[in-house]
Amino acid sequence: MTTHAPTQPIVNRPAVTNGRASLPLQIMLVTWRNLVTIFRTPVALVPPLVISIFFLVIYESTLGKAAAFIPNLSGNSYLGFILPLSIISSSLSGSGIAAQNMVRDIESGYFDKLLLTPVSRTALLLGPILAGALILGIQASVVIAFATVMGLQSATGVAGLAVVVGLAILLGTGFAGFTVSAALGSGSAAATQGASFLFFPLTFLTASFVPLELLDGWLQTAARLNPITYVLEAMRGLLNTGWDTAVLTQGIAACLILGVAMYALAVYALHVRTRRS
C-alpha cells in the first residue's frame, strides 16, 4: 500500500503576496533593470568622470600650494578640501543618466504600459532614482581612487572614505530624484539633461574654494542655507580632520532633506503626468 505525504501549503513566501511581488522586491527589480540598461552603454559614464578628474587636477595644481596661506586650512591637505567639490560635480553631471532611461521608456510608450500593470508606482519612481544614486557612488569611488593616486591621505582611513562614498550615494538620490521629475514632466531627453545643470549654481553658492568662515555678506548667508555646504563640510571633515559626529550628522541630514524633497517632487510630476494621460 502506497502512502502519500500530505502536501504542505507554502506559507513563507514574504517576497510574493497574493501573486504580487512585495514592494522591496519590486523596487529591487526595477532598480536592477535600470542598472542593466545603463551598463549596456558604459561609455555614457565616462564624461562625468573625466570632467570631475580634470577639475580635481586643475584645482589642486593651481590652488594646492596656496593652502598654507588660507586661514582655518593651514596644515590640512587642499586635495582633501577640494576633492568633495569634484565628487559633487561628478554627481551633478551624472545625475541625468538614470533619468534618460525613463525618457526612453516614455518615448517608446513602455512607461505608460508599466502604469497599467500592478507594479507599484513607488517602485517605478524609486527604481531609477536608486539606480542613479548607485551609479554616482561608483563614480565617486573612481574619483577618490584617482585622488589617492595623487597623494590623498584620509584622516579617517578606509572607513572614512567609505562614508564619503555613502554620502555621495545619499546626495545622488536627491539629484537623481530631480532629474526623474524633469523626465516625467517633460518627456524630453534634452530637457532632462539640461535640468541636471540647474543644480550647478549651488556648488558655487557654498564654500567651494575656501572655508565657510572666510565667506562674507550675502554669499555666506546663501552658503549657510545651501544643503550642499553641509555635505561638503562632512566630507572635508572625514578627509582632513577626523570623525566629528555633529558635522557628519548635519551632512547626512542635508542629504536626507534634499532626497525627500526631490522624491516628493517626483511623486507630484508623476501625478501630473498620469492626469494628462
Side-chain angles (χ1 to χ4, degrees):
M1 180 177 178
T2 303
T3 59
H4 298 280
T7 302
Q8 296 295 327
I10 300 174
V11 295
N12 294 320
R13 297 182 63 185
V16 179
T17 304
N18 297 326
R20 181 177 179 178
S22 63
L23 179 59
L25 181 58
Q26 291 182 38
I27 293 172
M28 186 180 69
L29 292 174
V30 177
T31 303
W32 179 251
R33 176 183 176 272
N34 278 271
L35 287 173
V36 169
T37 306
I38 291 170
F39 281 111
R40 282 177 181 163
T41 53
V43 69
L45 306 178
V46 175
L49 278 175
V50 172
I51 292 172
S52 296
I53 292 174
F54 172 77
F55 281 118
L56 180 65
V57 173
I58 292 297
Y59 292 151
E60 171 63 14
S61 301
T62 56
L63 300 173
K65 292 183 180 177
F69 304 101
I70 299 177
N72 302 329
L73 188 61
S74 181
N76 291 324
S77 161
Y78 194 74
L79 183 58
F81 182 83
I82 204 68
L83 174 61
L85 184 62
S86 292
I87 291 174
I88 290 176
S89 298
S90 172
S91 300
L92 285 169
S93 350
S95 60
I97 293 176
Q100 294 298 331
N101 291 337
M102 179 170 282
V103 170
R104 281 191 288 271
D105 287 344
I106 290 173
E107 290 176 340
S108 67
Y110 183 70
F111 187 77
D112 290 334
K113 293 178 181 176
L114 283 176
L115 291 176
L116 298 176
T117 68
V119 178
S120 164
R121 297 189 177 187
T122 301
L124 292 179
L125 288 178
L126 283 181
I129 290 174
L130 293 179
L134 291 173
I135 291 298
L136 299 181
I138 294 172
Q139 291 176 332
S141 301
V142 174
V143 175
I144 289 173
F146 192 87
T148 303
V149 173
M150 291 176 64
L152 174 70
Q153 293 183 340
S154 170
T156 51
V158 176
L161 293 178
V163 175
V164 170
V165 173
L167 285 169
I169 293 174
L170 273 180
L171 187 64
T173 59
F175 292 157
F178 179 73
T179 55
V180 164
S181 304
L184 289 168
S186 67
S188 161
T192 301
Q193 188 61 37
S196 65
F197 290 98
L198 290 177
F199 269 106
F200 262 108
L202 292 181
T203 62
F204 293 97
L205 294 174
T206 184
S208 304
F209 304 107
V210 295
L212 181 62
E213 296 75 15
L214 297 185
L215 300 181
D216 195 15
W218 68 269
L219 185 55
Q220 188 180 73
T221 303
R224 291 191 183 279
L225 296 174
N226 187 348
I228 291 179
T229 298
Y230 302 97
V231 184
L232 282 174
E233 294 293 318
M235 289 182 175
R236 286 167 175 168
L238 290 166
L239 296 174
N240 271 347
T241 58
W243 298 101
D244 187 326
T245 304
V247 173
L248 187 57
T249 302
Q250 289 177 350
I252 294 173
C255 291
L256 292 177
I257 291 172
L258 186 65
V260 170
M262 293 302 104
Y263 177 74
L265 183 62
V267 170
Y268 176 74
L270 178 61
H271 177 68
V272 171
R273 181 168 192 81
T274 52
R275 289 188 62 183
R276 286 202 308 249
S277 304

